[in-house]
């Protein structure tokens, strides 16, 4: 990470918890749930075979293919009750199943899609998310919330004014119904990364990011760079092979400053990266805050490591699980090159 000159400061806020359509688009989309994004409008009884949806256009505003089920909250699968995070209904994507909706968007603008997903089987489930030519495979095997539901984000740059948003289960299991539950699909138009006066970092305080559902306490997961050409966290990249970081809000988490922060939930397996232009020979100050999310994870020793070229800052934090944070001591690495990795924050226990 790099900062500004001696009179400037870079602010990096990191939260870490580690334990030892229908065929026609219905007007330009706005921030929030897509039309029937929570699947509360369902098929007619004549379009269901048990829970399986039998008609491609049975779910209003959506088009389906493959083995898609319409699931009510509290429905049982063997001895497991299938919960629904919002409302009374969700859909389950079985073998080679797809739900998609045609979106009307602003060409060349950046958007982030957020949706809730939950595993229902023991297999290594994953989802292929695409909007137009942009696509990524999101592993959902790791569960980051106690409810079993996580919110996943996927960002894209609109190449056309109308695009299909597609969520696809590429699995082919012995049980064709075995697959993830999907609910609450929302979209948000991303603004250009804001930069505070005196801070060379773009979106240094993480105030701009993917849509977070107001009624959920698990934030939104941001995928690694290999799965997303456009990061839902403007200005930043998640460096990992498969792991994510969690974007959280002050309504449900202890945030040291502002309304948003990032929780590093994958330990050393994921890092936040930003590249920033610097001037050879000049000195730059780096500052950031480390804390816990206030989610009851107590008595855990945490460490955040930040790298800027050859300089390293290693900041320990003792979590009491009740929130709180401490500022990392300011460091001033001298730049010897014209460009440097601004933030590569990793964690260790």
């Amino acid at each position: 990470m790099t900062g500004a000159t001696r009179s400037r400061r870079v602010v990096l806020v990191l939260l870490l918890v580690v334990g030892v359509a229908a065929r026609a688009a219905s007007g330009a989309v706005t921030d929030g749930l897509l039309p029937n994004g929570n699947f509360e409008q369902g098929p007619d009884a004549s379009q269901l075979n048990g829970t399986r949806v039998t008609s491609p256009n049975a779910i209003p505003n959506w088009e389906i293919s493959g083995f898609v089920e319409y699931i009510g909250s509290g429905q049982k699968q063997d001895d497991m009750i299938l919960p629904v995070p919002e409302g009374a209904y969700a859909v389950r994507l079985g073998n080679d199943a797809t739900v998609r909706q045609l979106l009307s968007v602003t060409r060349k603008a950046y958007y982030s899609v957020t949706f809730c997903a939950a595993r229902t089987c023991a297999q290594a489930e994953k989802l292929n998310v695409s909007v137009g030519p942009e696509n990524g495979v999101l592993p959902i095997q790791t569960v980051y919330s106690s409810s079993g539901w996580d919110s996943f984000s996927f960002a894209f740059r609109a190449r056309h004014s109308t695009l299909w948003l597609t969520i696809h289960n590429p699995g082919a299991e012995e049980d064709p119904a075995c697959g993830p539950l999907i609910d609450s699909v929302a979209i948000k138009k991303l603004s250009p990364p804001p930069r505070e006066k005196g801070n060379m970092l773009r979106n240094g305080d993480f105030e701009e990011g993917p849509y977070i559902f107001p009624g959920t306490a698990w934030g939104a997961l941001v995928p690694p760079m290999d799965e997303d050409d456009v990061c839902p966290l403007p200005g930043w990249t998640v460096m990992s092979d498969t792991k994510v970081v969690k974007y959280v809000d002050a309504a449900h988490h202890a945030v040291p400053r502002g309304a948003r922060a990032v929780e590093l939930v994958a330990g050393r397996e994921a890092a936040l990266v930003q590249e920033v232009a610097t001037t050879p020979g000049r000195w730059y100050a780096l500052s950031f805050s480390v804390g816990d999310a206030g989610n009851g994870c107590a008595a855990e020793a945490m460490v955040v490591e930040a790298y800027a070229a050859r300089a390293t800052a290693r900041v320990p934090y003792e979590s009491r699980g009740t929130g709180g944070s401490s500022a990392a001591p300011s460091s001033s690495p001298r730049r010897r090159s014209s460009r440097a990795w601004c933030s590569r924050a990793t964690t260790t226990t």
Side-chain angles (χ1 to χ4, degrees), residues 307-318:
Y307 302 89
R310 298 179 182 177
T312 301
R314 180 180 172 89
V315 184
Y317 184 82
E318 195 73 24

Side-chain angles (χ1 to χ4, degrees), residues 112 114 153 188 190 208-212 220-222 232-234 247 260:
S112 178
T114 303
S153 61
K188 179 184 175 183
L190 297 174
E208 181 67 13
Y211 185 83
I212 295 178
L221 300 176
V222 180
L233 199 59
Y247 189 58
R260 300 287 189 268

Side-chain angles (χ1 to χ4, degrees), residues 16-18 243-244 264-271 303 345-349:
L16 162 69
V17 176
V18 175
K243 299 301 182 181
V244 300
L264 303 180
V265 291
R268 280 188 174 272
E269 295 185 68
V303 174
T346 62
T347 65
T348 181
T349 56

Side-chain angles (χ1 to χ4, degrees), residues 105-304:
V105 294
T106 301
R107 188 171 175 267
K108 296 184 179 181
Y110 290 87
Y111 292 87
S112 178
V113 173
T114 303
F115 62 92
C116 293
R119 293 173 50 206
T120 64
C121 306
Q123 286 79 5
E125 296 178 0
K126 56 188 177 181
L127 290 167
N128 190 334
V129 182
S130 63
V131 185
E134 310 290 345
N135 70 88
V137 177
L138 306 182
I140 64 171
Q141 185 70 11
T142 302
V143 180
Y144 294 93
S145 72
S146 59
S147 69
W149 284 87
D150 285 308
S151 293
F152 295 83
S153 61
F154 178 83
F156 65 96
R157 184 173 184 259
R159 300 189 186 184
H160 305 283
S161 58
T162 55
L163 295 166
W164 284 102
L165 162 65
T166 302
I167 303 175
H168 173 66
N169 174 21
E173 306 296 340
E174 183 177 344
D175 179 359
C178 187
L181 286 167
I182 305 295
D183 195 22
S184 298
V185 187
I187 197 168
K188 179 184 175 183
K189 190 175 183 179
L190 297 174
S191 301
R195 181 182 293 165
E196 295 180 358
K197 185 178 180 180
N199 188 351
M200 296 173 67
L201 287 172
R202 293 167 293 158
N203 199 17
D205 220 8
F206 303 111
E207 293 302 292
E208 181 67 13
Y211 185 83
I212 295 178
F213 295 105
T216 60
W218 52 75
L221 300 176
V222 180
M225 58 183 178
D226 288 346
E227 303 299 344
D228 205 345
D229 292 335
V230 179
C231 185
L233 199 59
W236 298 92
T237 297
V238 179
M239 188 171 68
S240 175
D241 291 330
T242 59
K243 299 301 182 181
V244 300
V245 301
K246 182 182 289 189
Y247 189 58
V248 299
D249 61 355
H252 301 95
H253 301 79
V255 174
R257 166 179 162 171
R260 300 287 189 268
V262 170
E263 189 176 6
L264 303 180
V265 291
R268 280 188 174 272
E269 295 185 68
L272 276 173
V273 179
Q274 186 172 145
E275 189 178 67
V276 67
T278 56
T279 302
R282 296 189 70 177
W283 291 81
Y284 296 86
L286 161 66
S287 63
F288 58 95
S289 296
V290 177
D292 73 81
N295 56 4
C297 189
E300 298 293 347
M302 302 182 295
V303 174
V304 169

